[in-house]
Amino acid sequence: MSETALVKSVLQALALEPGVTAWRCNSGRRGRVTFGLGVGAADVIAIVAPLGRLCALECKVAGGTQREDQKTWQRAVQSRGGVYALVHSVDEARRAIREARRMA
């Protein structure tokens, strides 16, 4: 499965989760122009009810690793009370959503 297919599968699964709104986050840099939520932003951004907890999901296929800018983004999310997960499957994405619910 490609990373694009994984992101699509995660978004489809999260669309069925009650109280979850999720978006695909395209971000990066072209030349000197930064777009999206910034370089290193997670592939999927979700808001989880009841308290609106941010859940950022970085989707990677087997063998994929985080870049340093993605690790920096992870630290920023976690240090501000959000949930960040490196996910390799829909099941891992669902676990991250459950974690966000537990933190509420």
Side-chain angles (χ1 to χ4, degrees), residues 50-71:
L51 297 178
R53 173 93 47 213
L54 174 76
C55 187
L57 305 174
E58 180 60 41
C59 299
K60 294 287 185 190
V61 294
T65 59
Q66 281 179 296
R67 299 184 316 265
E68 282 306 312
D69 55 4
Q70 292 170 329
K71 291 177 183 178

Side-chain angles (χ1 to χ4, degrees), residues 1 6 9-11 13-14 87-95:
M1 174 183 292
L6 176 58
S9 295
V10 165
L11 286 169
L14 295 185
V87 301
H88 301 89
S89 68
V90 168
D91 287 339
E92 289 180 3
R94 286 186 177 127
R95 277 195 290 276

Side-chain angles (χ1 to χ4, degrees), residues 14-86:
L14 295 185
L16 301 175
E17 289 282 335
V20 175
T21 302
W23 301 270
R24 169 71 169 109
C25 179
N26 290 311
S27 61
R29 181 178 300 135
R30 287 204 178 101
R32 295 189 317 206
V33 176
T34 300
F35 60 93
L37 293 177
V39 177
D43 296 310
V44 175
I45 303 297
I47 304 296
V48 181
L51 297 178
R53 173 93 47 213
L54 174 76
C55 187
L57 305 174
E58 180 60 41
C59 299
K60 294 287 185 190
V61 294
T65 59
Q66 281 179 296
R67 299 184 316 265
E68 282 306 312
D69 55 4
Q70 292 170 329
K71 291 177 183 178
T72 298
W73 218 84
Q74 176 181 1
R75 287 188 295 273
V77 168
Q78 290 173 330
S79 70
R80 289 158 179 85
V83 172
Y84 183 102
L86 181 63

